[in-house]
Amino acid sequence: MLILIPLLPLAGFLVNASFGRRVSKPLAGGVACAAMVASFVVSAIAVAQLLSLPPEGRALAQAVFTWIASGDFSVAFALRLDPLSSVMILVVTGVGSLIHIYSTAYMHEEPDAEFARYFSYLNLFAAFMLVLVLAANFLVMFIGWEGVGLCSYLLIGFWYEKPSASDAGKKAFIVNRIGDFAFILGMLMIVVRFGSLDFQEVAQAAAGLTPEASFGTLSLITLLLFVGATGKSAQIPLYVWLPDAMEGPTPVSALIHAATMVTAGVYMIGRNAVLFSHAPETLLIVAVVGVATALVAGSIGLVQNDIKRVLAYSTVSQLGYMFLAMGVGAFGAGIFHLYTHAFFKALLFLGSGAVIHALAGEQDLRRMGGLRKDLPITYWTFLVGALAIAGVPGLAGFFSKDEILFRTFASGHTLLWAIGLLTSLMTAIYMFRLVFLAFHGERRVVAAPAPAHLEEEAAAHAADGAGGAAHRGIAPGTLAPGALAPGAPAPHAPHHLHDAPPAMAIALIALAIGSVAAGYVGLPAALGGSDALGRYLAPSFTVAGAAEDAAIEGADAEAHGAGLEVGLMAVSTAGALAGIAVAAFLFLRRREAARALAGRFPGLHRLLLNKYYVDQVYDAAIVQPIRILSEDGLWRAVDVRGIDGAVNGVGEVVRGSSEALRRLQTGSVRAYAAAVFFGAVAILGYYLWT
């Protein structure tokens, strides 16, 4: 049954790609949704079968065919279901199904052909992600790895007639190729070092080795794999594509950020936990890069005004948390946060899509406000997602985020824990800034002249492009430089406001329930639970069984006791509540204080608004030198003057010599007779002379 899980959405892609232009929208959307729901059902049956097996033997394998056979080296197109991949397929198919259902309403104003094209891409995206997580070896994983990269390009640039969307798609594709090149090198080194690409064989071989005391071969292999992960999962330095991915339709953003592509890097490290555990130098790099990414992205999210970009930087930050967990060896905690994050991040993106849908494409938070009464379903479900990601006790994000912070502290990485805690505070601030600006207060427009340092903010927003209109042909309102004017007329007529239609509301409510309940499968012992998810995942991170993993994952908890964990929970809860209180003061009660704060620190505000100028640095240091080298060096000098010059030079030689030779043929009989006469005389004279 395993092959059916990716084949069903692949079949949906083939049907819509082949016949979607000829059928109605309900049929095209129904085919795509049915394919995903069917894949979810098959996944649930397979996971139920897996659960019926004893913990030490929970694995189902299917070798579809032998792909490569050369001497002693062979690679099969093989799939494998174990606890880790079972969690992933339920997330991809479950959350993915809800996003498909939501899309049927969100994209309803697209032309029939574009509607079918959209759903064909969406199905293909899910199919490749399912291949990635079910793969039994690196080579099959790489099919899915590259496939989701292709689909991200197609979906981010779905509105290809809009330059900002097509540019964002190309940016995502190119940046990911950098990481993929390192991933390929890592795979080649694995073949050389272990003679196999099978995950289980590599893990068995690595388990027999001594962990490297310094940077060695295993460290280099894992570092190359991690570089690949930084591309897919948007970590420093390859995170710059993910915020621009907001140019695609909002459900695409939800699918990329919550259920598919960006989780691939985290999953890959978890899948190779044994290999990474034997490279402690790389694990430290993973932890440091993860926590740095979380901090940088969280600080940028504090000042962004595009509702989807706030969520995009939130995703980058939360992925940093997951890599922090992986880097400190808490693989189960990282996957736990990946799992809970899928619910509340999909909810937040789809909630933002409902807002954009209601406002006919408007995405600027400064043009919103007062939407709470008009969009009650959207507001209350979005609020649940915001509380979950902020880490408020009782919701899914609280359990998984605190598990990461506890494991980080207990492993002795106090500085990394402190940075993670600071990032948690920032998360609460920027998420509730979004909630208060969008849903509370009065409707407003930008009216009054802005201070000089804020004019650059408006220019940056314009440079980013409005993007992501829910309806083709309806452009969002243009943004003039200025400050907020509460009470000013709304930018859109009231009749445009409407809450989420049924298909969208169903997805929002289901994800809101998941954002509350999902965390309880990992309820820690300190709160009276048994960490059921952690114990279930444990065999996937070791070759020796759950006992060894318990020694790795649970040693800290046993050593420090439940008291420490509860104490750290109290600290992080205080941070989350403090962040919400700060946001309420600055953006609900005293909004002029937020503007005054930006005016008091214009340099810092400008730095965060322009995202630390990373894109500008990349453009100046990498893009423009390559462009200049390509245009002035390779094109004008090598191609035009060198290659074209040589080819054209040959042509000129032939043309010139032909020009000279053709003069020998004048067409005059007298000239030919004279030439024959003088030729005969010359020949006769030669012979008489000799």
Side-chain angles (χ1 to χ4, degrees), residues 180-457:
D180 294 349
F181 178 69
F183 191 87
I184 292 172
L185 292 179
M187 286 198 300
L188 293 175
M189 289 193 67
I190 288 172
V191 173
V192 173
R193 179 66 179 82
F194 299 106
S196 174
L197 288 172
D198 183 87
F199 291 130
Q200 298 305 305
E201 293 179 4
V202 171
Q204 290 284 354
L209 302 175
T210 302
E212 293 181 339
S214 59
F215 200 89
T217 303
L218 295 183
S219 297
L220 180 57
I221 291 172
T222 51
L223 183 61
L224 289 170
L225 295 178
F226 174 61
V227 172
T230 62
K232 279 290 176 290
S233 296
Q235 297 294 286
I236 292 174
L238 301 179
Y239 71 93
V240 291
W241 68 269
L242 192 58
D244 288 357
M246 299 303 97
E247 294 295 336
T250 303
V252 171
S253 302
L255 193 64
I256 292 175
H257 287 246
T260 56
M261 183 169 171
V262 297
T263 62
V266 180
Y267 168 78
M268 184 272 294
I269 293 180
R271 172 56 65 206
N272 295 281
V274 175
L275 189 62
F276 275 83
S277 296
H278 285 71
E281 296 286 337
T282 301
L283 281 182
L284 181 60
I285 294 173
V286 171
V288 171
V289 170
V291 78
T293 303
L295 180 65
V296 168
S299 62
I300 294 174
L302 292 170
V303 300
Q304 297 303 304
N305 293 306
D306 185 305
I307 187 171
K308 288 173 65 177
R309 286 182 182 271
V310 174
L311 297 178
Y313 282 104
S314 167
T315 299
V316 177
S317 183
Q318 296 303 306
L319 288 166
Y321 264 107
M322 298 175 205
F323 279 103
L324 170 62
M326 296 296 179
V328 299
F331 302 107
I335 298 301
F336 184 25
H337 196 54
L338 183 157
Y339 156 73
T340 60
H341 177 263
F343 288 97
F344 55 73
K345 185 49 60 69
L347 171 61
L348 292 170
F349 266 111
L350 297 186
S352 72
V355 171
I356 295 167
H357 192 271
L359 298 180
E362 183 60 70
Q363 295 183 202
D364 197 310
L365 288 168
R366 294 167 297 180
R367 286 187 173 272
M368 298 179 187
L371 299 177
R372 176 168 55 95
K373 295 180 181 179
D374 296 302
L375 311 176
I377 295 176
T378 302
Y379 170 71
W380 288 108
T381 54
F382 195 96
L383 181 62
V384 170
L387 291 169
I389 195 173
V392 172
L395 285 85
F398 166 77
F399 298 109
S400 58
K401 185 182 294 186
D402 275 58
E403 180 74 9
I404 293 174
L405 291 175
F406 168 62
R407 295 293 182 185
T408 302
F409 187 92
S411 63
H413 296 87
T414 310
L415 178 59
L416 299 184
W417 169 82
I419 298 174
L421 187 64
L422 175 61
T423 303
S424 180
L425 172 68
M426 290 181 176
T427 301
I429 294 174
Y430 65 67
M431 282 308 308
F432 276 86
R433 170 182 178 265
L434 188 159
V435 170
F436 295 140
L437 290 181
F439 294 100
H440 290 260
E442 299 179 357
R443 297 295 305 282
R444 57 191 179 274
V445 294
V446 178
H453 73 276
L454 291 179
E455 292 181 359
E456 186 175 351
E457 179 175 353

